[in-house]
Amino acid sequence: MATRTQARESVIGLLYAYDLGNEGIAKFVDDILEDKKIRNKQKDFALKLFNGTVDNIEKIDEELISHLKQGGITDIGSVEKSILRLAIFEIFVEGVEKAIVINEAIELSKKLASDGAPKFINGLLDKVKKA
């Protein structure tokens, strides 16, 4: 059975595709999650995260942009942006404990993103205030 971390990893892949302009990815979410063996409760969890992040993307991006010291949102890599968007969604909308979200985001960035990503993601998410 898939873990929540695996579900989040799949959601990051979906958000990455969405960020690259594949907004029709939502039509294939069920198939993609099934391919990754994300089923039952974890599938519901992944769908909630993906749909919630996409539905709230403007608010999430406003929060993200408000904490950037230099450059804009377009200067952030798509994988890093996907991780940040998911984390901000979980903090603000889902109300998940901030420390848990930051830890998960750092671990996922170590696995999926560039070498400097964990430090960048940690620093930015640390500035995000829980709603």
Side-chain angles (χ1 to χ4, degrees):
M1 178 155 75
T3 64
R4 284 187 168 229
T5 299
Q6 291 167 320
R8 284 185 180 100
E9 188 175 332
S10 294
V11 170
I12 290 165
L14 294 165
L15 291 171
Y16 174 80
Y18 183 87
D19 186 55
L20 293 179
N22 188 355
E23 291 163 6
I25 192 75
K27 296 175 190 170
F28 305 103
V29 170
D30 287 334
D31 294 333
I32 292 167
L33 293 175
E34 182 60 35
D35 286 348
K36 295 185 178 273
K37 308 227 183 311
I38 309 292
R39 299 181 180 121
N40 305 319
K41 287 182 182 180
Q42 299 309 348
K43 180 180 178 182
D44 294 342
F45 175 69
L47 289 170
K48 182 177 176 183
L49 293 180
F50 175 72
N51 292 324
T53 302
V54 170
D55 291 346
N56 291 283
I57 206 151
E58 289 177 18
K59 261 193 318 190
I60 291 167
D61 284 353
E62 284 175 21
E63 180 66 21
L64 176 56
I65 291 165
S66 75
H67 298 294
L68 294 176
K69 288 184 180 175
Q70 56 188 351
I73 196 164
T74 57
D75 296 322
I76 302 172
S78 290
V79 173
E80 291 85 350
K81 196 181 321 173
S82 298
I83 293 169
L84 286 165
R85 283 174 168 164
L86 176 58
I88 291 170
F89 170 76
E90 286 198 85
I91 292 168
F92 274 104
V93 181
E94 292 297 299
V96 178
E97 186 64 40
K98 189 172 155 181
I100 293 168
V101 173
I102 291 173
N103 184 59
E104 188 78 7
I106 291 168
E107 291 305 313
L108 287 165
S109 68
K110 287 177 183 176
K111 184 175 182 180
L112 303 171
S114 64
D115 290 343
K119 184 177 178 181
F120 171 70
I121 286 171
N122 184 32
L124 196 140
L125 289 178
D126 194 47
K127 295 176 190 171
V128 171
K129 302 289 185 243
K130 197 168 185 178

